[in-house]
Amino acid sequence: MTRTDPLDVPRPDAQLHFGVFFQGVNHWTIWSDPASGSQIDPANFRRVAQTAERGLFDAFFLGEGLRLREVDGLIHDLDVAGRPDALTQLAALAAVTDRIGLVSTSNTTFNEPADLARRLSGLDLLSEGRAGWNVVTTDNAWTGANFRRGGYLDHADRYRRAEEFLTVARAIWDSWEDGAVSGSAGAPAWAAPGAVRQVRHQGPQFDVDLTPTLPRSAQGHPVIFQAGDSGEGRDFAARNADVIFSAHGSDFDDALAFADDLRRRLRAVGRPDDDLRILPGTEIIIGATEEEALEKKRWIRLQQVTPATALGIAGLLWGLDLSDRDADGPLPKEDPVVAENDGSFGARRIADPRQVVAEWREKADANRWSLRETVIALGPQRGHVGTPAGLADKFAHFVRHGAVDGFNVTPYLIPDGLDDIVDLLVPALQERGVYRTEYTGTTLREHLDLREPLTRRSATYRRQAG
């Protein structure tokens, strides 16, 4: 149901949350602009994180790429390709930031829980309770080829493994009692007897027997993020996550439908319907006027989807090598080739591209679009475009009517792509009372206004929730 009545505001005191997503491998970051910086220079990671912290963002996210995209067996050299190990990079950023959360995208398919849980605990302690974990899965053999086990994991098993992985990780994080470590040099022992419990787990995916080596941080557990959009993914988030990313953040009605669906799933598993923060990924383009913002958007899209990139994307759809075609000419006249996935771009080919090609041709003919214009117009429609005041009004409406809790912002330029948001949009949001004017806590869990970790809640609370 569309909520438009300005007097019917279900969440009048809601506050907008921002995260920044440092993508790594992608073609959305404009690497060809003279103002673009290196994707592996530590100074640029530091610049983005510190700018986000100056803008009172909740968190800095690092993506994960376990294999570079390829086309016909060759590295896809149109992509930005720079993705240091997330936990290593975030540990470095912990030393040059004070409040902003630090979130690692780490894969449950090609890691082991005892090792990853310990490393996440280390980041959480090092940052004094600012760590988060974006739980992702992989089921394809293309990525698995880089690992000893290869593409062994069936698609249906990926969330089963992820859930068991998270169960083991939480048991490890819960193994140290509160106050386990002595706070006095005069205590009879460094740790209270029985304060550290052994973790034993036997399941379909993992057989673990260990005594964890690290106590909990100030926030109890790293904050759990998840980005699945399928029914399985949404259910996994409802059972396990603190925050969910989504692609449902551009259109209000679509965002609200997604949020309402998540709230139904939360209630179904016995959680309060405000127990999960919803942060769609987005790009934000700001201009002094609406016309300037739209012109800026057009320039950005042309930089993101270069002629070569447009031909590469269309070639994946057609199943043909289109590299010698004119991207500013018409769409290919050939019919698409329906073929098995060959791992191009590290993605699956569309099951039946003929229908998609037919739609592209119909719209391209009606609008007199070139191939490149078609790829831009019919590709992912990402983000928000406007003036600071207009965007602030729009975002206030989204958050106060329960469509989102905030946005995970993807800058189109590194390292300065957040400057307009921090310098222009944040003050406009603060004027409307929907954005913090200072950090009021020190941990990521506090920034997001989250309850205790699920496994740390009282038995009374769990009975009431169930």
Side-chain angles (χ1 to χ4, degrees):
M1 180 181 68
T2 302
R3 299 172 187 162
T4 57
D5 183 351
L7 300 179
D8 178 22
V9 180
R11 305 197 309 175
D13 299 322
Q15 295 289 291
L16 193 78
H17 299 271
F18 274 149
V20 57
F21 183 41
F22 200 114
Q23 291 189 90
V25 180
N26 71 97
H27 71 271
W28 297 107
T29 303
I30 303 171
W31 58 265
S32 58
D33 189 273
S36 178
S38 166
Q39 299 285 301
I40 56 175
D41 184 344
N44 288 332
F45 286 86
R46 182 170 63 250
R47 169 86 165 90
V48 173
Q50 290 177 338
T51 300
E53 188 168 67
R54 178 168 63 84
L56 305 175
F57 278 42
D58 290 66
F60 174 95
F61 300 82
L62 277 179
E64 178 180 69
L66 298 177
R67 182 167 175 170
L68 296 180
R69 297 200 299 175
E70 299 173 13
V71 179
D72 297 327
L74 300 175
I75 298 299
H76 182 59
D77 55 7
L78 301 174
D79 274 350
V80 168
R83 195 169 293 191
D85 173 71
L87 287 166
T88 304
Q89 187 67 55
L90 293 173
L93 291 176
V96 295
T97 56
D98 295 313
R99 295 292 185 92
I100 193 166
L102 304 166
V103 184
S104 167
T105 301
S106 298
N107 198 296
T108 59
T109 307
F110 300 115
N111 279 294
E112 295 295 324
D115 175 59
L116 183 58
R118 181 176 185 272
R119 290 190 289 136
L120 286 163
S121 287
L123 176 63
D124 209 18
L125 287 166
L126 186 69
S127 64
E128 299 181 300
R130 294 189 281 139
W133 174 21
N134 182 23
V135 180
V136 295
T137 68
T138 301
D139 66 344
N140 64 71
W142 181 83
T143 298
N146 278 2
F147 295 85
R148 177 174 59 85
R149 291 177 175 174
Y152 75 99
L153 189 64
D154 290 337
H155 180 82
D157 290 333
R158 62 178 186 158
Y159 281 117
R160 295 189 188 100
R161 179 179 171 90
E163 195 141 17
E164 188 176 339
F165 195 118
L166 189 52
T167 296
V168 177
R170 281 176 162 149
I172 292 169
W173 297 333
D174 283 336
S175 64
W176 286 58
E177 297 287 351
D178 291 330
V181 178
S182 170
S184 168
W190 181 79
V196 182
R197 297 188 300 274
Q198 195 163 7
V199 174
R200 292 187 175 93
H201 172 92
Q202 285 187 316
Q205 295 287 340
F206 306 108
D207 187 348
V208 175
D209 186 349
L210 82 156
T211 302
T213 59
L214 292 172
R216 285 189 300 276
S217 77
Q219 67 174 349
H221 291 180
V223 174
I224 301 300
F225 295 75
Q226 201 267 337
D229 195 27
S230 65
E232 281 181 304
R234 296 184 192 196
D235 284 340
F236 178 88
R239 290 191 301 270
N240 297 288
D242 299 305
V243 183
I244 187 168
F245 299 139
S246 83
H248 303 273
S250 297
D251 175 78
F252 175 81
D253 287 342
D254 178 55
L256 182 60
F258 177 83
D260 285 342
D261 178 68
L262 259 296
R263 293 179 186 117
R264 285 191 293 270
R265 293 173 194 262
L266 285 166
R267 291 191 292 270
V269 297
R271 294 177 65 183
D273 62 10
D274 64 346
D275 212 31
L276 185 66
R277 300 289 169 264
I278 301 171
L279 301 181
T282 196
E283 180 183 71
I284 297 175
I285 298 172
I286 298 174
T289 64
E290 294 290 339
E291 293 75 15
E292 180 183 304
L294 289 171
E295 183 58 31
K296 188 174 180 181
K297 174 187 174 182
R298 174 173 171 75
W299 174 85
I300 288 169
R301 292 292 179 268
L302 290 173
Q303 299 303 306
Q304 292 169 329
V305 184
T306 65
T309 297
L311 292 170
I313 293 171
L316 184 64
L317 175 60
W318 260 265
L320 299 170
D321 179 4
L322 302 178
S323 59
D324 61 346
R325 307 295 177 94
D326 180 7
D328 294 317
L331 272 61
K333 295 180 180 179
E334 297 94 328
D335 290 330
V337 176
V338 180
E340 294 294 323
N341 173 42
D342 64 358
S344 295
F345 277 52
R348 297 178 182 83
R349 287 194 186 278
I350 297 170
D352 185 2
R354 290 167 293 195
Q355 180 180 353
V356 179
V357 166
E359 292 173 358
W360 278 32
R361 284 176 172 155
E362 179 183 356
K363 293 183 178 180
D365 289 344
N367 293 281
R368 298 189 178 185
W369 288 334
S370 68
L371 183 150
R372 186 183 182 194
E373 289 170 330
T374 304
V375 169
I376 292 172
L378 302 183
Q381 299 305 303
R382 36 201 330 267
H384 297 271
V385 182
T387 64
L391 289 170
D393 288 338
K394 183 179 185 181
F395 291 167
H397 178 71
F398 271 56
V399 72
R400 285 172 172 164
H401 286 78
V404 303
D405 292 294
F407 295 98
N408 198 30
V409 180
T410 302
Y412 51 83
L413 198 65
I414 296 295
D416 300 329
L418 288 182
D419 288 3
D420 282 352
I421 296 171
V422 170
D423 295 334
L424 303 175
L425 177 58
V426 164
L429 291 166
Q430 290 169 333
E431 288 174 4
R432 287 154 179 80
V434 294
Y435 196 83
R436 64 169 61 96
T437 56
E438 62 180 350
Y439 289 113
T440 55
T442 60
T443 71
L444 177 55
R445 192 169 295 276
E446 289 173 320
H447 298 342
L448 290 161
D449 195 24
L450 293 169
R451 297 178 176 89
E452 286 184 288
L454 287 169
T455 58
R456 301 289 297 165
R457 298 180 188 181
S458 69
T460 301
Y461 176 90
R462 289 196 293 271
R463 283 196 301 271
Q464 290 173 346

